Amino acid sequence: MHVLPKTDVRLWRNLNERENFKKLMTFRYTDLKAVCEYLEEMAAKGWELKSMRTFMEFRKAEPRKVRYSAELLETASVYGNFVSDDSREYIDMCEQAGWEFVCNTGKMYIFRMEDENAIEIVSDNEEKLKDIKRGTLKTYFLSWFVLPVIILLDIALNVFSIGSPVEASYLRIFGMMLCLLVVIISIIQIISFFYGIKRRKKQWIMICSFHTLIKNN
Amino acid sequence: MPRESLKTLSEPMYYVLLSLTNERCGIEIMDKVKELSGGRVSIGPGTLYTMLSKFEDNGIIKGASVIPKRKNYIITDHGIEVLKEEYERIARLAEDGREIMEELK
């Protein structure tokens, strides 16, 4: 049985009377497998995914066993939900193979299928890992690599320009500390991402997300 | 997409090229690959899409005709060369091992 996070439990109580259900989208591109597991559980409880942007929207349906698949499309843009012609071709090919396209958010495309024996959309695990790596690095390039450099430059400028004690106000030092925190967070994220990739290469564990942590404990 | 040169073909790639000696669309390629390999090799639509666009970028296959919702592909002359080379390589591999394998029997 899936142990729901506290916020979900509160919502759960009056869910029986509702037709729609919204949940904040907290999955990242590295959580492809976790997204699918979550959606499959929701489907088993009678909630069918409708759309996925800032919120995941579910609609009430017959409880059923269904397979979900989440893919990162190289042809899709990180920003916005626009489906390009190339992505449309990708979707067509999946639909020919029996995977129904549900919705997308940025690069993440969600497909649904009832047949349990049908082939995975990306049949090669190595390739899927590559997709995740490429997609994630492209998405977070600015916040992980460019932003910290800019901030560090800013801090350096600040440090060198503090000449007289009058200029060195507490506010300024506090601001610098705050900026430093952003840099540290980016570094932690970069390290955890690459560590995760390395670990998954040895063993195919796609699920290192917060959601599965909750579930397993 | 950056150009990647294809030196040796992977197993699914080889089967996809074999199936594209006739004009085929996505689902037909998947079925043909399964048929050719006796159900041993199967290929997902996502993997196939990535592979086809890589082949197309390298001039190994080309789009033949587009019926709404499905695009047909066919192998190019360059592609046939690549396929022949790969066939010869595999045949050579088997040939090179033959004597030793016969000794083992």
Side-chain angles (χ1 to χ4, degrees):
Chain A
M1 182 68 192
H2 178 54
V3 181
L4 292 155
K6 267 184 190 153
T7 46
D8 275 12
V9 174
R10 251 187 288 123
L11 282 169
W12 212 248
R13 283 192 190 129
N14 46 18
L15 268 183
N16 288 334
E17 301 109 54
R18 295 167 68 170
E19 289 297 310
N20 289 295
F21 165 55
K22 267 188 184 185
K23 186 194 178 292
L24 191 68
M25 170 74 183
T26 47
F27 293 98
R28 294 188 301 175
Y29 286 172
T30 41
D31 304 332
L32 290 188
K33 191 107 180 184
V35 177
C36 296
E37 283 199 355
Y38 178 74
L39 293 176
E40 278 161 18
E41 273 166 28
M42 290 301 277
K45 284 174 188 152
W47 289 101
E48 193 178 52
L49 182 70
K50 205 167 83 183
S51 73
M52 188 186 262
R53 280 171 199 210
T54 319
F55 291 95
M56 294 165 111
E57 266 191 74
F58 295 90
R59 116 165 44 85
K60 204 163 205 173
E62 278 298 301
R64 59 171 180 161
K65 211 173 171 216
V66 69
R67 270 169 80 193
Y68 275 94
S69 180
E71 305 299 334
L72 289 185
L73 264 62
E74 210 187 336
T75 49
S77 163
V78 176
Y79 310 102
N81 286 22
F82 175 70
V83 179
S84 70
D85 285 353
D86 284 340
S87 307
R88 182 49 66 187
E89 252 178 57
Y90 188 104
I91 292 169
D92 287 343
M93 207 169 269
C94 292
E95 290 197 328
Q96 280 177 40
W99 286 93
E100 174 205 348
F101 171 58
V102 185
C103 56
N104 73 313
T105 169
K107 273 177 176 298
M108 194 194 280
Y109 279 59
I110 308 288
F111 296 89
R112 183 163 45 208
M113 159 86 109
E114 284 208 22
D115 185 359
E116 270 180 57
N117 301 317
I119 189 159
E120 300 270 331
I121 292 184
V122 174
S123 44
D124 183 358
N125 281 343
E126 194 85 356
E127 194 190 316
K128 189 133 188 177
L129 197 59
K130 230 192 242 169
D131 287 348
I132 290 173
K133 205 169 160 182
R134 213 186 286 132
T136 310
L137 284 180
K138 260 187 196 167
T139 314
Y140 295 111
F141 179 73
L142 283 178
S143 63
W144 281 3
F145 300 101
V146 179
L147 190 68
V149 170
I150 293 173
I151 287 175
L152 282 178
L153 279 175
D154 183 62
I155 290 175
L157 271 175
N158 258 312
V159 169
F160 288 121
S161 69
I162 296 172
S164 60
V166 189
E167 280 180 52
S169 67
Y170 284 121
L171 191 64
R172 217 163 152 189
I173 291 172
F174 178 70
M176 269 157 62
M177 289 296 179
L178 222 56
C179 289
L180 213 58
L181 198 67
V182 175
V183 175
I184 291 167
I185 290 171
S186 322
I187 290 171
I188 291 172
Q189 277 182 326
I190 294 168
I191 291 171
S192 66
F193 172 70
F194 281 106
Y195 179 70
I197 290 279
K198 206 175 141 200
R199 239 181 58 189
R200 283 172 206 148
K201 245 182 201 157
K202 283 183 200 147
Q203 201 186 349
W204 183 242
I205 341 167
M206 278 302 308
I207 322 146
C208 304
S209 73
F210 179 62
H211 299 266
T212 25
L213 270 179
I214 294 171
K215 206 170 115 189
N216 294 336
N217 292 335
Chain B
M1 200 186 277
R3 283 193 134 215
E4 283 174 63
S5 60
L6 302 157
K7 273 184 185 156
T8 53
L9 303 175
S10 71
E11 211 174 44
M13 281 176 173
Y14 179 67
Y15 280 112
V16 167
L17 279 189
L18 281 180
S19 69
L20 278 177
T21 44
N22 288 318
E23 194 179 306
R24 283 199 168 85
C25 76
I27 187 77
E28 288 166 353
I29 299 171
M30 282 181 247
D31 291 343
K32 187 71 187 172
V33 166
K34 221 170 189 178
E35 184 199 317
L36 280 173
S37 63
R40 194 173 55 86
V41 177
S42 48
I43 186 165
T47 309
L48 182 64
Y49 178 85
T50 317
M51 195 185 287
L52 290 179
S53 45
K54 209 187 213 173
F55 279 157
E56 211 174 4
D57 285 350
N58 280 282
I60 289 172
I61 60 167
K62 63 183 178 198
S65 58
V66 187
I67 317 157
K69 291 222 155 192
R70 53 179 62 190
K71 188 174 173 187
N72 285 341
Y73 293 92
I74 192 157
I75 198 163
T76 60
D77 292 341
H78 173 55
I80 290 171
E81 255 170 58
V82 172
L83 187 59
K84 269 184 187 159
E85 250 170 54
E86 183 66 14
Y87 175 76
E88 272 154 26
R89 194 183 69 87
I90 296 169
R92 179 82 198 274
L93 283 179
E95 191 59 36
D96 289 352
R98 179 174 294 173
E99 259 179 48
I100 291 169
M101 290 317 282
E102 266 164 19
E103 272 172 36
L104 285 177
K105 276 175 193 168

